[in-house]
Amino acid sequence: MPDQNKRRGIYLLPNLLTTAGLFSGFYAIVASMNGDFQLAAIAIFVAMVFDGLDGRVARLTNTQSDFGAEYDSMADIVSFGIAPALVAYNWALHDVGKLGWLAAFIFVAGGALRLARFNTAIATADKRYFQGLAIPSAAAIVAGLVWVGAKYEIDPTNVSLIVVFFTIACGLLMVSNFRYHSFKDVDWRDNVNFIVLLSVVLGFVIVATAPAVVLFVLFTAYAISGPVLTIKNVSKLKLEHVLGDPSEDCKEADKKEQTDAKSEKSDSEKK
């Protein structure tokens, strides 16, 4: 039976948001070519906002479609794959010659493979976790690094190898098997106490004080959390926990963890 939530046709509102994200990513490339690297990095973060909105708006308005899903993936590879790689290349990677454009290509290829794997496994994947670093998060790290460097007028020739490292590392993390919290199991409609709301307000204040540094640090910490979470949850780290197709043992462990989580949720609801 076909999925009733994915209709045929083109819906204006969610695809308009996707187009806005695509425009932001393209604008980031143009801005970096003109030497305005702060604006280029900010444009990538703006694209992340639109990317977060289009899917939610589509679900809320029941305007999901196969066209929208495919269009969103095409926009993502431009805004979060090609755009940050070219922004980083134009700022610092071109100073190291062949190594620079190879690092940029690894990032783009990793992003494309990450999107392809996500789209083919979306029906069977554990909704609580991402397999590999999500491409918007990887883009945020690279764009955040450029934003910090441009804002504080750091000479890119002095940090070109650091940019190479971050670009390649993000590209590889996207195709890894490291598990990252997706935060999709958070009930945003649930009641919260005053302390939680106050923490959110303080979080916005902290980001506003130094957005370039704070966003770069936050997304870098999130990227590190994947290997930490994976190593913490396995008794013995194997190659399939890092790269390649997960073994049957890994799949069984994941199924057991999902079952245990559902049991814990059911018990808490009964209480």
Side-chain angles (χ1 to χ4, degrees):
M1 184 177 180
D3 189 354
Q4 297 297 324
N5 292 324
K6 290 188 176 181
R7 305 176 184 177
R8 291 185 178 181
I10 300 174
Y11 296 95
L12 179 61
L13 185 56
N15 290 299
L16 190 62
L17 293 170
T18 303
T19 303
L22 177 61
F23 175 82
S24 299
F26 181 77
Y27 183 78
I29 298 173
V30 175
S32 71
M33 292 171 65
N34 293 330
D36 196 342
F37 295 106
Q38 281 197 67
L39 195 58
I42 292 171
I44 292 174
F45 281 98
V46 172
M48 289 181 63
V49 174
F50 286 118
D51 181 64
L53 288 174
D54 59 4
R56 286 171 175 79
V57 168
R59 287 188 290 272
L60 286 172
T61 58
N62 197 26
T63 53
Q64 298 163 280
S65 66
D66 291 332
F67 175 87
E70 294 298 326
Y71 184 34
D72 183 63
S73 291
M74 297 301 103
D76 284 353
I77 192 58
V78 174
S79 299
F80 307 128
I82 298 173
L86 289 179
V87 170
Y89 180 82
N90 289 332
W91 183 61
L93 294 180
H94 69 276
D95 290 327
V96 291
K98 185 182 293 185
L99 179 62
W101 67 258
L102 284 174
F105 174 73
I106 289 172
F107 184 89
V108 175
L113 290 169
R114 172 66 176 79
L115 287 171
R117 183 169 67 177
F118 176 80
N119 290 340
T120 54
I122 191 169
T124 58
D126 186 349
K127 303 298 182 183
R128 297 172 301 154
Y129 300 100
F130 290 131
Q131 183 183 2
L133 183 64
I135 187 172
S137 299
I141 294 171
V142 175
L145 181 60
V146 174
W147 192 0
V148 170
K151 180 176 178 60
Y152 296 100
E153 298 181 352
I154 299 173
D155 187 352
T157 58
N158 294 333
V159 294
S160 56
L161 291 179
I162 296 176
V163 180
V164 168
F165 169 77
F166 273 93
T167 306
I168 293 177
C170 288
L172 295 178
L173 284 174
M174 283 189 284
V175 295
S176 71
N177 287 337
F178 291 130
R179 302 174 69 187
Y180 290 88
H181 278 293
S182 67
F183 302 106
K184 291 182 179 180
D185 55 343
V186 177
D187 188 358
W188 300 103
R189 296 171 296 181
D190 195 12
N191 293 327
V192 295
N193 58 44
F194 181 76
I195 299 299
V196 175
L197 184 60
L198 181 61
S199 301
V200 172
V201 173
L202 290 176
F204 280 114
V205 171
I206 293 171
V207 171
T209 56
V213 175
V214 174
L215 290 173
F216 172 67
V217 170
L218 284 177
F219 280 100
T220 301
Y222 178 68
I224 296 172
S225 72
V228 172
L229 178 66
T230 302
I231 294 171
K232 180 181 177 182
N233 289 337
V234 297
S235 57
K236 183 179 180 181
L237 188 66
K238 300 179 181 178
L239 179 61
E240 54 263 30
H241 293 127
V242 180
L243 198 64
D245 294 327
S247 66
E248 291 301 321
D249 292 339
C250 293
K251 292 178 181 178
E252 288 299 325
D254 289 342
K255 289 179 181 178
K256 184 179 183 300
E257 186 177 345
Q258 292 181 43
T259 303
D260 293 342
K262 289 179 181 178
S263 299
E264 290 177 4
K265 184 178 180 181
S266 177
D267 292 341
S268 63
E269 288 176 351
K270 290 178 182 179
K271 292 178 182 178

